[in-house]
Amino acid sequence: MSFSTEQKFWNLLKEQSSYEEAIGLMAWDMRTKAPKKGVENRSEVIGVLSQKVHEIQTCNEIKLYIDELKKTASDPKLIAALREAEETYHRTNKIPTQLYKEFVTLQTTAESKWAEAKENNDFESFQPYLEELVRYNREFAELWGYEDHIYDALLHNYEPGVTVKQLDQVFPKVRDELAALLTKIQESEVSPDPAILQGHFPKHLQEAFSEEILKRMSYDFDAGRLDETIHPFAIGLNTNDVRVTTKYDERDFRTAVFGTIHEGGHALYEQNIDPDLSFTPLATGTSMGIHESQSLFWENFIARSREFWENHYSLFQSHAPDRFKQVSFDDFFLAVNEVKPSLIRIEADELTYCLHIMVRYELEKALINGEIEVKQLPELWNEKMKTYLGVVPDSDSTGVLQDIHWAGGDFGYFPSYALGYMYAAQFDSAMRKDVNVSAAVRSGDFQLIKNWLSNRIHQYGKMKKPLDILEEVTGEGLNPNDLVNYLRNKYKHIYRF
Amino acid sequence: MSFSTEQKFWNLLKEQSSYEEAIGLMAWDMRTKAPKKGVENRSEVIGVLSQKVHEIQTCNEIKLYIDELKKTASDPKLIAALREAEETYHRTNKIPTQLYKEFVTLQTTAESKWAEAKENNDFESFQPYLEELVRYNREFAELWGYEDHIYDALLHNYEPGVTVKQLDQVFPKVRDELAALLTKIQESEVSPDPAILQGHFPKHLQEAFSEEILKRMSYDFDAGRLDETIHPFAIGLNTNDVRVTTKYDERDFRTAVFGTIHEGGHALYEQNIDPDLSFTPLATGTSMGIHESQSLFWENFIARSREFWENHYSLFQSHAPDRFKQVSFDDFFLAVNEVKPSLIRIEADELTYCLHIMVRYELEKALINGEIEVKQLPELWNEKMKTYLGVVPDSDSTGVLQDIHWAGGDFGYFPSYALGYMYAAQFDSAMRKDVNVSAAVRSGDFQLIKNWLSNRIHQYGKMKKPLDILEEVTGEGLNPNDLVNYLRNKYKHIYRF
């Protein structure tokens, strides 16, 4: 039996995708179910399969197929698959194997040094490792290449097509407008009382509520599962097996409710990718930022809206301690939308969250550009926190050391979180031209919303690049106004300014 | 970096073993947790990884390594790994790829034809497929080769080293002695009342009881899990991740209790293999029969013994409906040891079980030998059931069509079940020379028993062949007397003959 070049190309991608699905299941298993003693062996197995993925991505064979097929390809799926495979081939091959191995070793060491440093509030002990990580990232960026800014080469890993130039046109506006909104909120006489949200929330009731909301979001339980974990995530193994995980805090229902809806938003993306893209690199979300737009859209634009709770508060009450029967809807809604500057990014409300990202973006860009040095980070971090959020960490542990990203060698990742907010707001504005979102949310029927997202975004997987999707769906490029307007309109009502 | 031939050999085996671990996890997942819509894609992924295993097993490279290393190998682990890899290489390469593909296609079709035929009690519709399966098995056997009997070549797949000649020396004795015992039991005036075992057994209590027993057996929950499934199994992903599954029937506690202990016996074997054998083909049980000896030992020799229930009946009562407080120990013990000929193998008691196997062994051996034809099976089946068990199926669905094995193309497999009983009885006799088993079981402390099995059997994995282990542990070869004596002594007391 002899295969055409195109068939051989698809076969290689299928083999790669099969390893990735197996790795995905092993990763899910390790984070949900796996017995602890088996983890060491399992990690080695993941290592072996990851090596196979790497071999396919960088082999001469795939380069030959790509070069031959590119000449005549006309089918959009083939063209997109060739584009993705070629880009991966080039970027991966540009990093010498030895250099990459050194970097992986450094990552592992740096993560454990970071954990110690965070524990002991000792930035200095971590500083040399972070300096090395910055150095490797700069070296990778030079090898990958860029047009304007060295940092663009790193951004490309998470948000292909987005550049410093673009970010610097929109992020300062987001930053300044949100900081101004925050000031107004802090001057307001309205003061939410989060203490009313406290209570004992039995796990099984939280689980039932989470499942019910996922079902209403059109999450397909025949093509997924909901499990418990420590650090929640969603994972698409294939379009018909997309799993959500969540965490139940029996003292704070918000962790599971908003967390499940957030991960559910990621999962809806992966469940609704065109199955025809299966077994290719196209069968996943197109970028970190677009993925985040889907989770944030459901978590904030839907599940923190007045309409959502108008419909769901009674369902929530039936899954909460009796005392919630005495908590009025208005007090409850106000409390779950409290805006309050805080030190920790992952605990931030939807308004201040982007300000945390701005601190990180500005610092890591300057680091990679060589404008600042690692040793200046703690001081600069605290200055920016004071300027944008009005709070100053009392230790580096709750300041510059709080996130694992830099310790893992990830630079260029943070902007995707803020881009996710901006994309979500732009999609929300576009959707409201087609769909009566308020009425749909109030009625608890999310089908129209989910279909709108699936038709315009989900189904394409990686067929389209993030900014192309944005342009096609909203008719424009990155625009900070939708996010700023959404937040202003929402919090103007809540905080009455 | 350049590797020695030995290192290259181990690397290939590690790659194979990594695929196998990933396949194992995917199989476990499909049978316990996986969403139904994802199964189709997952099956393709398993297909891709299985193909990689096959490629390694049959590649020229591994043959070159084996041939070179064989010349000088002196380390026992290397020698055993070379022996296993070489045997797999030869047996797999002897079957032409095209022939094997035809067989796999036939298997799939035959299994669904069998399911229909069983449903409709229509042997004739299945007959042509079974004829083909026999034909392929005969062809494979000829390709693999054999010394005395063609059926030996098939036996080798499940019980390497065991031959028709050996089986025919022991099985008739087992068959006749058990049939004679059965007659005595049926003549006895003692009559157990299984109706007293009925009740409603809530799942969570069965689960708690199952977990407790597994813990007492020294099953390590940090290196395993207990989950629910439809057709229970145990699976060793690696020696530190060996999972048990069970089924909870709320009307009949015996399914979960004896099922969990049975699978727990399999799991103890896999958990206690020397970790130094990890990532080689030696890191699993040495044969179907030796594996079955471990599960049957725990299920029958331990968990159906008087001593076991003397210790555990009160624990059981606390996990059972209140009414069990009125059921006396003696009545309970008698009921769980009822011997009663029945039509269905998987529902058989420990005494009649082997008689079911004899029916199948004699028929499949004659089929492969060409002494009988497929179309004669229903009649011959019923005759043998009448002769050995005294019962005759009222339909082929509860007769010759009951098991999936032949429909899956598996011939040579059934004897391992009876060998498992015989091995277990021989191990039990040997153990009693070293350990006061009755006292240990009565005290509920199984550590001595588990250690005895681990030291003599488990740790070696596939380092030793089944009959070598038997010889080393018991000082003799296959011997039916231990099984016959065990059953006679046990049921003589129970049925007072």
Side-chain angles (χ1 to χ4, degrees), chain B residues 91 94 140-147 150 152-153:
Chain B
R91 288 180 75 86
K94 276 180 182 166
F140 292 166
E142 293 295 350
L143 289 165
W144 284 321
Y146 52 88
E147 282 184 23
I150 179 170
D152 289 346

Side-chain angles (χ1 to χ4, degrees), chain A residues 104-122:
Chain A
V104 170
T105 307
L106 174 63
Q107 273 178 321
T108 312
T109 315
E111 282 190 17
S112 79
K113 293 291 172 188
W114 162 78
E116 272 176 46
K118 183 176 174 181
E119 176 83 21
N120 303 324
N121 186 33
D122 178 11

Side-chain angles (χ1 to χ4, degrees), chain B residues 24-281:
Chain B
L25 182 67
M26 291 190 276
W28 170 84
D29 185 65
M30 290 215 291
R31 292 171 71 178
T32 55
K33 311 274 177 193
K36 62 182 184 191
K37 287 186 185 170
V39 165
E40 197 181 321
N41 209 92
R42 186 66 35 79
S43 303
E44 288 199 58
V45 172
I46 290 176
V48 170
L49 269 65
S50 302
Q51 176 61 26
K52 302 305 287 184
V53 170
H54 183 265
E55 283 171 19
I56 291 175
Q57 288 174 331
T58 57
C59 66
N60 294 333
E61 226 176 327
I62 203 160
K63 181 65 167 58
L64 289 173
Y65 301 156
I66 293 167
D67 288 344
E68 185 184 330
L69 294 169
K70 262 170 62 181
K71 292 177 202 156
T72 55
S74 61
D75 171 57
K77 176 176 147 187
L78 178 59
I79 292 171
L82 288 167
R83 181 194 69 213
E84 292 298 320
E86 185 172 30
E87 189 178 307
T88 304
Y89 175 86
H90 284 303
R91 288 180 75 86
T92 313
N93 271 321
K94 276 180 182 166
I95 309 295
T97 310
Q98 186 52 33
L99 190 70
Y100 189 69
K101 281 193 177 162
E102 287 167 23
F103 176 67
V104 171
T105 309
L106 173 64
Q107 273 178 319
T108 312
T109 316
E111 281 191 17
S112 79
K113 293 291 171 187
W114 162 77
E116 273 176 46
K118 183 177 173 178
E119 175 84 23
N120 304 324
N121 187 32
D122 178 10
F123 180 81
E124 271 184 38
S125 70
F126 178 53
Q127 185 184 316
Y129 299 94
L130 190 50
E131 283 165 351
E132 280 296 285
L133 288 164
V134 171
R135 196 177 64 72
Y136 275 97
N137 265 278
R138 287 172 54 89
E139 195 168 345
F140 292 166
E142 293 295 350
L143 289 165
W144 284 321
Y146 52 88
E147 282 184 23
D148 295 330
H149 288 82
I150 179 170
Y151 183 82
D152 289 346
L154 303 179
L155 265 180
H156 189 92
N157 289 332
Y158 308 98
E159 217 56 29
V162 173
T163 60
V164 166
K165 195 172 157 197
Q166 288 170 303
L167 292 185
D168 286 348
Q169 276 165 6
V170 292
F171 276 6
K173 161 133 187 168
V174 169
R175 183 192 66 203
D176 297 343
E177 294 273 6
L178 298 196
L181 274 176
L182 180 57
T183 306
K184 291 208 174 171
I185 286 169
Q186 289 181 304
E187 287 165 4
S188 159
E189 283 173 9
V190 175
S191 97
D193 179 10
I196 61 169
L197 301 180
Q198 283 166 13
H200 177 79
F201 302 87
K203 196 173 111 175
H204 71 278
L205 291 177
Q206 293 196 59
E207 204 173 338
F209 185 76
S210 298
E211 277 185 17
E212 179 59 28
I213 299 292
L214 282 177
K215 279 181 198 155
R216 293 187 184 193
M217 286 168 68
S218 312
Y219 173 77
D220 182 354
F221 272 95
D222 287 335
R225 303 179 41 86
L226 174 62
D227 293 277
E228 203 179 347
T229 191
I230 295 172
H231 300 291
F233 62 99
I235 185 166
L237 302 171
N238 61 59
T239 60
N240 279 312
D241 189 350
V242 181
R243 304 182 183 196
V244 174
T245 64
T246 196
K247 181 178 166 180
Y248 303 106
D249 179 343
E250 294 203 317
R251 288 166 310 171
D252 189 343
F253 70 89
R254 291 173 295 185
T255 305
V257 169
F258 294 111
T260 307
I261 295 170
H262 180 98
E263 301 306 336
H266 283 302
L268 283 182
Y269 192 174
E270 298 280 326
Q271 273 190 342
N272 291 287
I273 290 172
D274 183 352
D276 185 45
L277 304 179
S278 295
F279 290 120
T280 79

Side-chain angles (χ1 to χ4, degrees), chain A residues 14 37 42 44 220 243, chain B residues 14 21 37 44 220:
Chain A
K14 180 172 178 176
K37 288 186 185 170
R42 187 66 34 81
E44 289 199 57
D220 182 353
R243 304 182 183 194
Chain B
K14 180 171 179 176
E21 180 162 337
K37 287 186 185 170
E44 288 199 58
D220 182 354

Side-chain angles (χ1 to χ4, degrees), chain A residues 217-218 268 272 298 431 435 445-459:
Chain A
M217 284 168 70
S218 313
L268 284 182
N272 291 287
W298 286 97
M431 186 189 292
V435 175
D445 178 4
F446 301 121
Q447 196 69 46
L448 279 172
I449 294 170
K450 180 256 163 188
N451 288 346
W452 191 95
L453 294 167
S454 292
N455 288 338
R456 283 163 185 76
I457 302 165
H458 301 164
Q459 63 164 319

Side-chain angles (χ1 to χ4, degrees), chain A residues 181-192:
Chain A
L181 274 176
L182 181 57
T183 305
K184 291 208 175 170
I185 286 169
Q186 290 181 303
E187 289 165 1
S188 160
E189 284 173 11
V190 176
S191 98

